[in-house]
Amino acid sequence: QNEKAMDVEAEYVRLFAVFDAHQHSTKVVPSSVLGEEDAVVDCVLPSYFDYYPELKRRVQRSPRKDAVDIMERFYVFMQTGCRETLRGLGIDEFGAEPNDLSNPIVIDDSDSEAGERSATEPAGLWQVSLGDAGWADFDETSNKLCEEAFLAKRSSVSFVGHMSFPITVNLEKCLQTNTVTGTVRPVRRTIIGAMYG
């Protein structure tokens, strides 16, 4: 009995370390100005717990054996994308959807205070960082909303994003926050003419 408890504790410590680990990464950020060199950025990637803070809270609140089960099943889900492994855990509200960009972002711009585009202001393309997967373009509607807010000199813009999660983009700090899960990702604005012109 005591040996089993020690095994559970050892597995808990091992899995907790896996979920809390931060990996170092080097990323080349393409310059948005023609003729300028790309920037090389050393960064620390977020841990699973950084992306899913509710998962960490649930693990810490659960008895050790249950916490190990939650982490094992969630780890399988993160590696395979198979939601079946989460059945019965009530984890769907974590917003877990690994590497899935297939659903478009839907934006509610009913309270938008969009400004008029300046005749001299080039069109901007908004992108979100996906870590080692690189940068992904915002869909047309969310790009338009972010660009209008940027040109209107607003500090932030909010919309309903992937899986119906509310998203807030801080335009000053260039950060996107899922206000339900707490996931924060860098965003950037590139000049369309500089990339494609």
Side-chain angles (χ1 to χ4, degrees), residues 36 46 63 81 146:
E36 280 193 15
C146 285

Side-chain angles (χ1 to χ4, degrees), residues 7-188:
D7 289 344
V8 168
E9 183 64 23
E11 187 64 3
Y12 175 88
V13 169
R14 185 188 72 78
L15 286 169
F16 196 93
V18 167
F19 276 80
D20 208 30
H22 294 85
Q23 295 181 5
H24 291 272
S25 175
T26 301
K27 174 181 275 187
V28 176
V29 179
S31 173
S32 61
V33 178
L34 288 175
E36 280 193 15
E37 290 187 25
D38 296 341
V40 178
V41 179
D42 290 319
C43 59
V44 177
L45 300 177
S47 69
Y48 283 127
F49 283 150
D50 291 335
Y51 275 117
Y52 305 106
E54 180 56 34
L55 173 66
K56 184 176 185 177
R57 287 189 285 276
R58 175 133 351 136
V59 164
Q60 290 175 322
R61 286 192 311 252
S62 298
R64 289 295 199 243
K65 187 175 181 193
D66 294 342
V68 167
D69 182 52
I70 291 168
M71 287 188 287
E72 285 175 342
R73 290 167 68 179
F74 199 83
Y75 187 79
V76 169
F77 164 70
M78 293 305 295
Q79 298 302 310
T80 65
C82 178
R83 282 191 165 281
E84 193 64 31
T85 60
L86 301 180
R87 187 176 301 273
L89 292 181
I91 291 183
D92 281 343
E93 71 271 17
F94 293 166
E97 197 68 45
N99 305 319
D100 182 7
L101 298 174
S102 61
N103 292 335
I105 297 172
V106 179
I107 296 176
D108 175 9
D109 62 354
S110 57
D111 64 345
S112 175
E113 301 169 14
E116 292 296 316
R117 178 183 297 268
S118 161
T120 60
E121 183 72 37
L125 175 67
W126 288 86
Q127 299 176 317
V128 60
S129 174
L130 302 177
D132 284 344
W135 293 89
D137 295 349
F138 277 40
D139 69 89
E140 184 179 334
T141 308
S142 58
N143 190 80
K144 181 176 185 264
L145 186 62
C146 285
E147 185 66 3
E148 288 173 349
F150 173 80
L151 293 174
K153 302 194 182 327
R154 290 174 52 197
S155 61
S156 66
V157 62
S158 296
F159 51 87
V160 177
H162 177 66
M163 292 182 59
S164 300
F165 282 115
I167 301 293
T168 297
V169 176
N170 182 319
L171 299 169
E172 294 173 345
K173 295 181 180 178
C174 287
L175 294 174
Q176 169 185 294
T177 303
N178 177 320
T179 58
V180 171
T181 65
T183 301
V184 177
R185 297 178 189 267
V187 297
R188 69 180 181 184

